Amino acid sequence: MPGLSSAAGIVGFLSEPEPELQVFALQVLNEQIDSLWTEVAGSVGDIEALYEDPSFPERELAALVAAKVYYNLQEYNESMIFALGAGKLFDLDQEGEFEDTIISKCVDTYIALSGSAPTNNTNQPPPQLTTAFPSTANGASSISAGLASPTTPFSQSTLPSKSLLSRQDSSTTFDPSLQVGGTANLPNALPASIASQASIQKQLYAIVDEIFERCFRGGSYRQVIGIAVEARRLDVLRRAIARAGEDEREKRKDETGNLIRGQDLIEYVLEICMDVVQERGLRNELLRLVLDLLNDIPSPDYFSIAKCIVYLNEHTMASNMLVQLVGKGDPTSTAIAYQIAFDLYDNSTQEFLKKVREELPEASESSSPADSMEMRDKAQVPQESDQLLKELNDSAGAPASASDNDQKKKEEALSTATQKAFDSIREILSGTKTIELGLEFLFRSNRTDMAVLNKIRDSLEARNSIFHTAVTLATAFMHAGTTHDKFFRDNLDWLAKAVNWSKFTATAALGVIHRGNLGQGLKLLDPYLPKEQIAGSNPSSAYSQGGSLYALGLIYANHETFALDVIREHFKKATEEVVQHGGALGLGVAGMATGDENIYEDLKTVLYTDSALNGEAVGIAMGLIMLGTGNIKALEDMIQYAHDTQHEKIVRGLALGMALIMYGRQEGADELVNGLLDDPDPILRYGGIQTLSLAYCGTGSNKAVRKLLHVAVSDVSDDVRRIAVMSLGFILFRKPSNVPRMVELLSESYNPHVRYGAAMALGISCAGTGLDEAIDLLEPMIKDPTDFVRQGALIALSMIMVQQNEAMNPKVGTIRKTLMKAITDRHEDAMTKFGSAISLGIIDAGGRNCTISLQTQTGNLNMAGIVGMAVFAQYWYWFPLTHFLSLSFAPTAMVGLDQDLEIPSFKFHSATRPSLFDYPPEQEAKQEDAPEKVKTAVLSTTAQAKRRAQKKEKQQRRESMDIDQTPTTPKTSNLGEKMELDEPPVKVDDVQEAEKPEGEKKEGSLSPESAKRKMEKEKVGYQLENMSRVLPAQTKFISFPEGRYRPVKKPAGGVVLLTDSTPSEPKTLMELKAKKKVKPAATPTTVQDRVVEALGQHLANNGESSGAAEAAGVLTAVDEDVEGGEEADLPREFDYFTDEEGGGEE
């Protein structure tokens, strides 16, 4: 039928009484509605009447025509309803814009309706803070506080439509602001008919089920999973994964074996849970479903199960899984259990790990769970007692036959091997093994550039406290975890200039340098620790005593051992505020996330003394002890005291402590955040922002980001605005590429605090990535007119460029030169020099073997790293807190262990050029170039005179020696009247550079073009020894060639367990250099032992004293200007002579 130019006649048929004419009109309009809809729109009421007439034979056709008319009118809700009424006439297989739009609308409505259904009680509201913030309309603690708040209350109406990325914690997903006709609160103002007519809902579900079936037939299972997760339909999710397994089984015609496609879908759901879903309640539901599905698989992915268990905090399931794996008895299962134990340590809190260790089977009922250090010291005693118990049990029983004895021997042998495996798992879960391996790698791979450190020391005046602290921090970061403290021992004169808090920071730097030195840590710091005063001995400085307790906590950071009891004992005995300050920080770091109520009470007792100096540290320590627990009682105590005290330092410490308690709580922290943000005190609002950033860290939550951006442009306090912008880095560090675009305008703000916050947000989120977009934003900020903005830009650049070389990012050389130039520039401000010194330490962190990582290799949040970065950001107020950044340093090593947890010597393959991930070249100390002489012009007559003189001299020499020689005649052709130039002088630097080996050429000696050509000539692919430096970006190129050792899982850096294909053959083990050097730690001595040791050390010091003893003597010396310190001896009396007495004669 030819196309119609007008629909007037056809529309007239709709009013005819004969149904045949009406059906004919609808058929014509259905075919040509796209060109005639403007004329048909006025008669859409007649078409609706035909659809609603039960006697009309083609009601579905009328509904389809009405749907197309409303579609062209852009009334998509009405169009969808009539399309659902069209039944089978609405063809899903037909391709077109109308069909695609209606399908999309059906899916959105399905998600909204499914989300409105009541769910189980996983999303219960968090416990209420009964004393602090009674909820009001806007979450303020009171109406007066809400009115007094200088910020605009955050309006929930500004949130986007309720989707997976922005839905609130409540199970209801509808927006009350979009009510229509008194019906249910449906999103996007859906008509009342969709909620009131069950038939339409039934048709909607039928359409969606048909869409699902089409996806199943086409193998598009992930689309179904996405819709099911969005709609909270766990039954559909389970059906999709089961259907994938059934389809795969039918294709393979095999009932046995693992179903690869189903496991891939489970991994996809797990990835969605971790990276996309932002609601804690929904995420927990999905993870529990994934756990059920994984447990149904014959050979499940235990590593995915472990990831779910950690997030759900199911310590019992973790211990049961380890017991199950060890119980299988084969080496592969044991190696998998060891690998899971390493992953659990990397991703769990100390409290979780302690519960798992306690639930593992014990060697005997009498033995109690202990930490790894005590277990290693007493490892032989339980074994002997077990053996005696077995012998007694055997002797008490009746005589057994030979077969029974053989069976018992097998059981005993099996139980011995099993118990050995459980002991190894306990050691791994305690963290001892991981820490020792990291220490060994950093010790043997240390590539610190001492020339840079010496240049910093020479360029900054040590008499200035801020500069001395800057050099100390740079030294600590460069040598973090390497145990190389030679710089302090070689620079005693410089170290002696540290006074007061500089001495505190310098002593604490030993903790950063020796972090993880579990065997030697206490012995190393023994000269600095507080001691009972012995008669006749000189008192040590309180600042070195406090710094030593802080250092001890850093050495045993996040590792609950005897050191925690040592620090606690000194903290309780301390009476000086400086010692209490260092003890509190040490307790917090060492006891991180233990939830120990006794330590918390000790800290609270000191807090109530209302001392500003130690109150700040105590507030932070309380938060560290209760990290992530959400302890309501602790929060109430801290909120109450924050309102009672008059000291800003205490309030600031408590504000950060409350944020730490709410770490990772997400929606559970909303009430506390709202209450703090509505407080008139800017310090508490500052704490509210910190609470928000730590509660939602790494989630990418739209709600949290919008609130931060709102506060960043509305609060009247510069401090609050600064931390609000900075906190964007904590929320979005899993999506670093999104941050530069988000803070681009903020980096150009008129407010320098906002610009500083933007710089630090880029550094935190893009740390170790070398992201070009972030660098482009930071480079102009290096020349900012405000000194602290330049400081923040330099620190952020170093965090982004850590472990980057010229091949990975060509700008790294320029940035290193910029950092060094800021140090040596005499006209640069002190704050910028301070930031530059720290930056040079960060960019070479851990001997150039550490990166800054806020998430683990398995993708979970790195709790210690995030906490360290959050506390480090407070260096703005207190420099000693800068040491916390070392908690974010993660060694970039690949360490392979066999089933015996030994380090075999073998090689693995990296499919890259060697220079791509190589160490950056060391910077040489640039020599002072003498002024180069100008090339002198030589006249032709002068040249001729020189030649004649040389000829005459040679003739005389020949005659005197009486030897016939053929005279050498210089060339004289082509001279003419042209002026000659002397040969350009050869620089000494060039000669030295040419004589140096190829690997030691100084940076910048090769042009970018020649370096690029050299890299292209390199062979792709090379072998790496076990325990080699492997960067995070390099892990995807790592492979294990066919050989003796194979990894139990895909290597992602860190510790990798290996299976040995030929265990009977002898194996070659790597020599542990750090353990060879480090001696086991001595137990704490008595007062009498200390006296004897002091006397012996005094006698030894009469001869030659070691560098360590001299450094200890410098740091523990009492400052002369300390109030109450020991006075110096009076000078002897002088004899005066007058001229008459002849005193002046010689």
Side-chain angles (χ1 to χ4, degrees):
M1 183 177 179
L4 299 176
S5 59
S6 175
I10 300 297
V11 170
F13 287 160
L14 296 176
S15 303
E16 294 294 331
E18 290 81 4
E20 292 81 3
L21 293 177
Q22 295 171 338
V23 171
F24 172 76
L26 291 174
Q27 291 174 346
V28 174
L29 292 176
N30 182 44
E31 295 176 358
Q32 305 186 28
I33 192 65
D34 290 338
S35 59
L36 302 177
W37 68 269
T38 53
E39 298 179 64
V40 181
S43 302
V44 70
D46 297 335
I47 300 175
E48 290 186 29
L50 294 176
Y51 166 67
E52 294 172 358
D53 185 3
S55 61
F56 185 66
E58 295 290 340
R59 294 181 61 216
E60 293 181 349
L61 180 61
L64 183 61
V65 173
K68 292 183 177 180
V69 173
Y70 280 115
Y71 165 75
N72 286 282
L73 291 171
Q74 297 185 2
E75 295 289 343
Y76 300 125
N77 289 331
E78 296 291 339
S79 177
M80 179 196 64
I81 292 174
F82 284 106
L84 293 175
K88 296 181 179 180
L89 293 181
F90 178 62
D91 188 5
L92 297 177
D93 296 327
Q94 184 175 351
E95 296 183 357
E97 293 184 2
F98 168 70
E99 287 77 14
D100 292 344
T101 304
I102 297 303
I103 289 175
S104 176
K105 199 66 184 175
C106 288
V107 172
D108 290 341
T109 309
Y110 172 81
I111 291 172
L113 287 172
S114 300
S116 67
T119 59
N120 49 14
N121 56 357
T122 55
N123 290 337
Q124 293 179 348
Q128 301 296 313
L129 296 176
T130 55
T131 64
F133 301 117
S135 59
T136 58
N138 61 355
S141 57
S142 64
I143 297 177
S144 59
L147 296 175
S149 173
T151 62
T152 306
F154 183 68
S155 174
Q156 296 294 333
S157 63
T158 61
L159 286 172
S161 60
K162 301 295 183 293
S163 67
L164 182 65
L165 301 180
S166 61
R167 190 181 296 139
Q168 291 180 329
D169 183 50
S170 61
S171 59
T172 303
T173 59
F174 306 117
D175 192 342
S177 63
L178 299 175
Q179 298 184 13
V180 178
T183 61
N185 302 327
L186 297 172
N188 302 326
L190 293 178
S193 57
I194 195 69
S196 60
Q197 297 186 17
S199 60
I200 295 181
Q201 291 189 22
K202 184 178 180 181
Q203 294 168 356
L204 174 66
Y205 289 132
I207 288 287
V208 174
D209 286 341
E210 187 175 349
I211 294 172
F212 289 163
E213 191 61 33
R214 289 175 57 196
C215 292
F216 291 151
R217 291 196 299 269
S220 302
Y221 302 100
R222 295 195 174 193
Q223 284 83 339
V224 180
I225 288 176
I227 296 174
V229 171
E230 188 91 15
R232 297 173 177 262
R233 290 294 300 270
L234 302 186
D235 56 334
V236 176
L237 184 61
R238 187 185 293 270
R239 190 180 77 180
I241 296 176
R243 177 66 179 270
E246 293 174 2
D247 294 346
E248 184 181 7
R249 190 178 292 111
E250 289 180 1
K251 288 182 180 180
R252 292 166 49 183
K253 303 297 183 182
D254 185 6
E255 295 295 334
T256 62
N258 291 331
L259 302 177
I260 306 301
R261 181 174 294 176
Q263 293 186 11
D264 290 343
L265 290 179
I266 293 175
E267 292 179 2
Y268 177 65
V269 175
L270 192 57
E271 182 181 349
I272 290 177
C273 289
M274 297 302 177
D275 299 337
V276 180
V277 179
Q278 297 176 0
E279 294 177 61
R280 190 182 182 92
L282 176 59
R283 188 181 300 177
N284 289 348
E285 293 179 13
L286 292 173
L287 289 175
R288 294 186 187 280
L289 173 63
V290 170
L291 271 179
D292 293 341
L293 294 172
L294 287 172
N295 289 327
D296 293 340
I297 299 176
S299 299
D301 182 3
Y302 290 104
F303 303 108
S304 298
I305 294 177
K307 187 181 290 187
C308 298
I309 287 173
V310 169
Y311 195 89
L312 294 172
N313 201 27
E314 295 286 350
H315 52 85
T316 303
M317 295 181 67
S319 58
N320 291 339
M321 181 173 60
L322 293 173
V323 171
Q324 177 186 353
L325 285 169
V326 174
K328 291 184 178 181
D330 60 295
T332 302
S333 298
T334 305
I336 293 175
Y338 290 161
Q339 184 69 67
I340 290 174
F342 278 111
D343 292 345
L344 288 176
Y345 173 73
D346 289 338
N347 301 312
S348 307
T349 64
Q350 291 190 54
E351 184 180 13
F352 179 91
L353 296 171
K354 185 177 181 180
K355 291 179 180 177
V356 175
R357 293 200 304 268
E358 290 175 349
E359 292 172 355
L360 291 176
E362 289 288 341
S364 65
E365 297 180 358
S366 60
S367 61
S368 60
D371 52 55
S372 62
M373 299 297 294
E374 295 174 351
M375 284 172 57
R376 281 196 300 177
D377 294 338
K378 304 177 182 179
Q380 298 179 355
V381 177
Q383 295 175 1
E384 294 175 357
S385 62
D386 291 345
Q387 187 175 0
L388 291 173
L389 287 173
K390 290 177 182 178
E391 291 174 359
L392 289 173
N393 291 332
D394 292 339
S395 62
S401 62
S403 60
D404 292 340
N405 290 332
D406 293 339
Q407 183 66 23
K408 284 187 177 182
K409 289 181 180 179
K410 291 182 180 180
E411 291 177 356
E412 289 177 3
L414 179 62
S415 62
T416 303
T418 303
Q419 193 56 51
K420 180 182 177 183
F422 284 132
D423 292 339
S424 299
I425 290 176
R426 286 191 186 89
E427 183 182 9
I428 296 171
L429 291 176
S430 68
T432 305
K433 199 68 180 177
T434 302
I435 295 172
E436 286 180 352
L437 293 173
L439 182 74
E440 173 67 25
F441 165 71
L442 293 176
F443 175 79
R444 70 192 303 153
S445 305
N446 182 25
R447 298 286 288 269
T448 304
D449 191 352
M450 297 302 297
V452 175
L453 200 53
N454 292 330
K455 186 68 174 178
I456 300 174
R457 179 204 60 202
D458 296 337
S459 302
L460 299 180
E461 175 55 47
R463 291 289 181 185
N464 194 332
S465 178
I466 185 175
F467 290 156
H468 196 286
T469 300
V471 179
T472 299
L473 295 172
T475 306
F477 290 158
M478 283 188 183
H479 297 90
T482 63
T483 71
H484 287 268
D485 55 5
K486 191 172 181 294
F487 180 82
F488 285 158
R489 305 183 185 190
D490 293 345
N491 295 274
L492 295 178
D493 293 338
W494 169 85
L495 192 62
K497 297 177 182 179
V499 294
N500 299 341
W501 289 105
S502 296
K503 185 173 292 184
F504 179 93
T505 307
T507 311
L510 294 174
V512 178
I513 296 173
H514 291 272
R515 185 191 171 197
N517 194 351
L518 304 181
Q520 196 83 355
L522 188 61
K523 184 177 180 180
L524 173 80
L525 293 175
D526 187 70
Y528 309 90
L529 291 173
K531 297 179 177 63
E532 298 179 13
Q533 191 64 34
I534 303 174
S537 63
N538 294 325
S540 60
S541 172
Y543 292 96
S544 65
Q545 293 178 5
S548 65
L549 293 177
Y550 186 12
L552 193 60
L554 290 169
I555 290 177
Y556 297 92
N558 198 24
H559 185 64
E560 185 182 5
T561 59
F562 68 92
L564 190 62
D565 297 329
V566 173
I567 301 173
R568 183 183 177 191
E569 179 184 356
H570 287 300
F571 176 74
K572 292 168 68 175
K573 292 180 179 178
T575 56
E576 298 191 39
E577 293 180 342
V578 178
V579 181
Q580 290 178 337
H581 182 96
L585 293 176
L587 275 177
V589 179
M592 188 185 302
T594 56
D596 194 314
E597 293 285 349
N598 297 324
I599 298 178
Y600 172 80
E601 291 297 329
D602 294 340
L603 292 168
K604 188 168 69 171
T605 302
V606 176
L607 175 70
Y608 286 165
T609 61
D610 203 40
S611 169
L613 185 59
N614 56 29
E616 182 177 20
V618 167
I620 296 173
M622 292 166 71
L624 289 171
I625 294 296
M626 294 294 177
L627 178 64
T629 60
N631 192 303
I632 297 298
K633 180 180 179 300
L635 288 172
E636 290 174 355
D637 294 340
M638 298 168 76
I639 293 168
Q640 185 64 41
Y641 197 77
H643 286 101
D644 293 343
T645 186
Q646 300 297 319
H647 297 292
E648 289 187 358
K649 289 177 70 66
I650 296 179
V651 178
R652 185 173 292 113
L654 291 173
L656 178 56
M658 288 186 284
L660 293 170
I661 291 177
M662 283 299 181
Y663 166 81
R665 306 297 293 184
Q666 296 188 20
E667 293 87 356
D670 284 348
E671 183 189 1
L672 177 62
V673 170
N674 292 331
L676 291 174
L677 288 182
D678 287 326
D679 197 282
D681 189 350
I683 301 179
L684 287 179
R685 295 202 305 275
Y686 186 100
I689 295 297
Q690 290 177 307
T691 305
L692 181 66
S693 65
L694 290 179
Y696 288 92
C697 60
T699 62
S701 170
N702 287 354
K703 180 177 69 173
V705 169
R706 294 175 72 92
K707 187 170 290 191
L708 290 174
L709 292 175
H710 173 77
V711 175
V713 297
S714 63
D715 201 281
V716 297
S717 171
D718 287 336
D719 288 350
V720 178
R721 297 180 68 176
R722 182 181 67 249
I723 192 64
V725 181
M726 193 188 307
S727 297
L728 292 171
F730 288 99
I731 304 293
L732 299 170
F733 68 78
R734 279 181 167 168
K735 302 174 183 177
S737 58
N738 295 345
V739 180
R741 179 168 46 88
M742 185 169 294
V743 302
E744 183 176 3
L745 294 178
L746 294 172
S747 66
E748 301 173 359
S749 170
Y750 72 93
N751 191 326
H753 292 266
V754 174
R755 298 199 300 271
Y756 173 88
M760 292 300 292
L762 290 170
I764 293 169
S765 60
C766 305
T769 62
L771 193 65
D772 291 330
E773 293 82 356
I775 296 170
D776 293 340
L777 288 179
L778 289 170
E779 283 181 330
M781 302 176 73
I782 298 176
K783 302 177 182 178
D784 195 276
T786 308
D787 53 357
F788 62 78
V789 177
R790 297 196 298 273
Q791 179 193 77
L794 293 174
I795 294 176
L797 278 173
S798 67
M799 294 166 68
I800 295 173
M801 285 299 189
V802 63
Q803 286 199 320
Q804 299 285 313
N805 58 20
E806 292 281 356
M808 300 171 67
N809 195 314
K811 292 184 178 180
V812 66
T814 306
I815 290 174
R816 285 179 178 272
K817 292 178 181 177
T818 303
L819 294 174
M820 190 59 70
K821 181 181 178 182
I823 288 285
T824 57
D825 189 358
R826 296 181 179 179
H827 302 288
E828 189 59 84
D829 291 323
M831 294 189 66
T832 307
K833 288 187 176 183
F834 178 83
S836 182
I838 294 178
S839 302
L840 286 168
I842 295 172
I843 202 170
D844 290 338
R848 300 188 173 188
N849 291 301
C850 286
T851 187
I852 295 176
S853 177
L854 302 187
Q855 54 183 338
T856 62
Q857 287 98 347
T858 56
N860 288 49
L861 298 180
N862 180 9
M863 181 191 68
I866 294 172
V867 170
M869 184 67 73
V871 182
F872 159 74
Q874 309 311 306
Y875 82 91
W876 179 281
Y877 301 104
W878 194 236
F879 285 156
L881 297 180
T882 312
H883 285 311
F884 270 84
L885 182 62
S886 62
L887 300 181
S888 302
F889 294 163
T892 52
M894 182 82 75
V895 184
L897 299 180
D898 60 10
Q899 292 100 321
D900 298 326
L901 297 182
E902 295 177 330
I903 308 175
S905 179
F906 76 100
K907 293 183 179 181
F908 51 90
H909 184 73
S910 176
T912 60
R913 293 183 174 89
S915 62
L916 182 58
F917 297 106
D918 197 9
Y919 288 97
E922 293 187 2
Q923 294 182 353
E924 290 189 355
K926 188 176 180 181
Q927 299 179 355
E928 294 294 334
D929 294 334
E932 187 177 339
K933 293 183 179 180
V934 181
K935 298 176 182 179
T936 56
V938 181
L939 298 175
S940 59
T941 56
T942 306
Q944 291 176 2
K946 285 185 177 181
R947 282 194 293 271
R948 284 194 296 268
Q950 291 175 357
K951 185 176 180 181
K952 186 176 181 181
E953 182 182 355
K954 290 180 180 179
Q955 183 68 23
Q956 292 175 354
R957 189 165 57 248
R958 186 172 62 250
E959 292 175 353
S960 62
M961 297 179 66
D962 196 18
I963 297 176
D964 294 334
Q965 286 184 345
T966 303
T968 303
T969 306
K971 290 184 179 181
T972 58
S973 60
N974 299 331
L975 289 175
E977 299 296 327
K978 188 170 59 174
M979 299 173 64
E980 292 186 356
L981 298 176
D982 290 339
E983 292 184 1
V986 180
K987 295 183 180 179
V988 179
D989 292 348
D990 295 338
V991 176
Q992 294 176 350
E993 185 70 21
E995 293 176 353
K996 293 178 66 173
E998 185 65 27
E1000 298 182 4
K1001 294 289 183 72
K1002 66 182 180 181
E1003 186 176 358
S1005 60
L1006 293 177
S1007 63
E1009 292 80 7
S1010 59
K1012 185 177 180 180
R1013 286 196 299 268
K1014 180 181 177 183
M1015 180 178 175
E1016 290 175 353
K1017 293 179 181 178
E1018 286 182 320
K1019 182 181 178 182
V1020 177
Y1022 62 102
Q1023 300 293 323
L1024 286 170
E1025 288 284 349
N1026 190 14
M1027 196 174 277
S1028 293
R1029 175 178 180 262
V1030 177
L1031 302 187
Q1034 190 179 1
T1035 54
K1036 58 185 176 183
F1037 301 105
I1038 297 298
S1039 61
F1040 285 73
E1042 293 293 336
R1044 178 173 181 176
Y1045 297 103
R1046 302 293 299 170
V1048 297
K1049 74 168 187 176
K1050 183 179 179 181
V1055 179
V1056 179
L1057 264 294
L1058 308 170
T1059 56
D1060 190 352
S1061 58
T1062 56
S1064 58
E1065 296 182 2
K1067 56 186 177 181
T1068 305
L1069 301 179
M1070 298 185 67
E1071 182 184 5
L1072 299 181
K1073 298 181 179 180
K1075 182 174 286 188
K1076 184 177 180 181
K1077 177 186 176 183
V1078 174
K1079 298 178 182 179
T1083 56
T1085 55
T1086 62
V1087 177
Q1088 182 66 25
D1089 294 334
R1090 287 176 178 172
V1091 173
V1092 175
E1093 184 180 358
L1095 291 174
Q1097 192 171 12
H1098 176 71
L1099 293 175
N1101 288 340
N1102 290 335
E1104 279 191 10
S1105 61
S1106 64
E1110 292 179 359
V1114 168
L1115 288 177
T1116 56
V1118 180
D1119 299 330
E1120 294 182 2
D1121 56 348
V1122 175
E1123 183 179 355
E1126 186 176 346
E1127 299 290 340
D1129 295 336
L1130 293 176
R1132 62 179 179 83
E1133 295 183 358
F1134 292 94
D1135 296 328
Y1136 295 94
F1137 299 94
T1138 62
D1139 292 339
E1140 291 78 6
E1141 293 175 339
E1145 295 181 1
E1146 295 182 359

